[in-house]
Amino acid sequence: MTRLIRSLSTPATPPGFTYPDVGATRTRPLPAGYDHLRHENPVGHGREVFETAGAAVTTWALHRRSGVRVRAGAARAEPGTAVEISLGTGPLRVAAPCEVVWAVHDEDRIGFAYGTLAGHPECGEESFVVERRADGSVWFTVTAFSRPSRWYTRAAGPLVPVFQRAYARHLGRTLAKIATK
């Protein structure tokens, strides 16, 4: 009976992922026990900016243009796609294996989220969504929940969320440049 109660009260981690709350960046609220990030950035205005920004996000162009290396199992972000994001070179290269958890491509929202796999320096999920609002303005939002999973991210302590916020701002500025050229 104790085992049944534990299984009902503690969500199981889906196979491959390093956290049990898979999909929480889409459904909200973000789960407790993690650092939370939500950063919104204006990108521009109009349907063309929206489509250009959405394509940059879902084809990995945004990440590549922001200075990280991307190895993906597909040209476009779709659920189940394996992705490795890495930064640095040689022995200082940090790789972050992920899998796309969900993707959206509708009239006013385009984007995806990926979740962490074994070997990622963090444990959690991050989404990248472009939205066209009622006034025609186009916004980019990064939403994430994470906590350290490696010795070096635990040692970095409060610097990791600072880096994540700076990276989210960098992504927003990069996407605005891509979409308004």
Side-chain angles (χ1 to χ4, degrees):
M1 182 66 159
T2 303
R3 187 171 163 199
L4 176 61
I5 292 170
R6 182 178 299 137
S7 69
L8 292 175
S9 63
T10 306
T13 301
F17 293 99
T18 59
Y19 64 104
D21 307 289
V22 174
T25 55
R26 185 175 200 166
T27 60
R28 297 205 182 84
L30 298 179
Y34 299 88
D35 290 321
H36 294 171
L37 168 71
R38 182 170 171 86
H39 175 74
E40 292 185 320
N41 195 88
V43 175
H45 195 272
R47 165 79 42 205
E48 186 176 339
V49 168
F50 170 70
E51 293 292 338
T52 300
V57 167
T58 58
T59 63
W60 319 111
L62 170 61
H63 283 76
R64 288 185 173 108
R65 289 273 301 270
S66 69
V68 298
R69 182 184 301 164
V70 178
R71 290 184 355 181
R76 180 175 291 285
E78 295 293 338
T81 301
V83 184
E84 181 183 85
I85 304 294
S86 60
L87 188 60
T89 60
L92 300 178
R93 182 172 164 256
V94 176
C98 304
E99 183 177 314
V100 176
V101 174
W102 59 263
V104 61
H105 190 121
D106 62 29
E107 189 67 22
D108 295 314
R109 290 187 57 185
I110 301 173
F112 73 96
Y114 51 46
T116 58
L117 302 175
H120 196 291
E122 290 284 300
C123 170
E125 190 172 294
E126 190 167 23
S127 70
F128 310 91
V129 177
V130 177
E131 178 184 19
R132 188 172 60 123
R133 297 186 178 168
D135 66 357
S137 64
V138 178
W139 289 77
F140 173 62
T141 304
V142 177
T143 304
F145 61 92
S146 63
R147 60 181 172 229
S149 69
R150 306 292 292 256
W151 69 267
Y152 51 88
T153 49
R154 284 191 291 276
L159 294 177
V160 173
V162 170
F163 171 75
Q164 289 172 324
R165 283 190 297 279
Y167 183 61
R169 286 191 300 273
H170 176 64
L171 287 174
R173 288 189 304 270
T174 302
L175 187 59
K177 290 176 188 173
I178 292 170
T180 56
K181 274 190 171 180

